[in-house]
């Protein structure tokens, strides 16, 4: 497993975990999916609320990464609805860690 300070927008392979202040994201670039696990790996800091988002804990199509750097909010381009023409940004709370797991 390899820790990283950032995930490059042109990343095309591997499975990565991105832990934020409130959730853990699993990004699978081989399958091009993103899974958000709200509350998993989050901090005990009560100033951060855990939001419920559409299709939490489900694999959703990952279309791209705009930014993902420790200490900053990550931005993921995803398709979170059944309509293939609807795309949305997932903007996270600040990233705590990034790790390649495969």
């Amino acid at each position: 497993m390899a820790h990283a300070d950032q995930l490059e927008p042109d990343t095309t392979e591997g499975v990565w975990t991105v832990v934020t202040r409130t959730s853990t994201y699993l990004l699978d670039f081989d399958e091009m999916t993103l899974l958000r696990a709200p509350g998993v790996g989050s901090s005990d800091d009560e100033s951060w609320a855990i939001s419920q988002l559409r299709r939490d804990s489900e694999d959703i199509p990952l279309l791209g990464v705009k930014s993902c750097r420790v200490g900053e909010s990550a931005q993921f381009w995803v398709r979170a609805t059944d309509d293939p023409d609807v795309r949305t940004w997932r903007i996270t709370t600040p990233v705590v860690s990034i790790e390649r797991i495969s």
Side-chain angles (χ1 to χ4, degrees), residues 2 9 11 13 18 23 33 38-39 42 52 56 61 63-66 69 75 78 93 98 102:
T11 301
E13 60 184 25
V18 175
S23 302
T33 59
S42 63
Q52 298 300 311
D56 274 345
L63 304 173
V65 175
K66 181 175 182 183
R69 179 174 292 142
Q75 297 181 36
V78 298
T93 55
I98 302 168
S102 86

Side-chain angles (χ1 to χ4, degrees), residues 23-43:
S23 302
T24 294
Y25 291 80
L26 183 69
L27 288 79
D28 184 336
F29 287 95
D30 300 322
E31 298 293 326
M32 288 306 291
T33 59
L34 175 143
L35 180 141
R36 176 181 182 257
V40 175
S42 63
S43 70

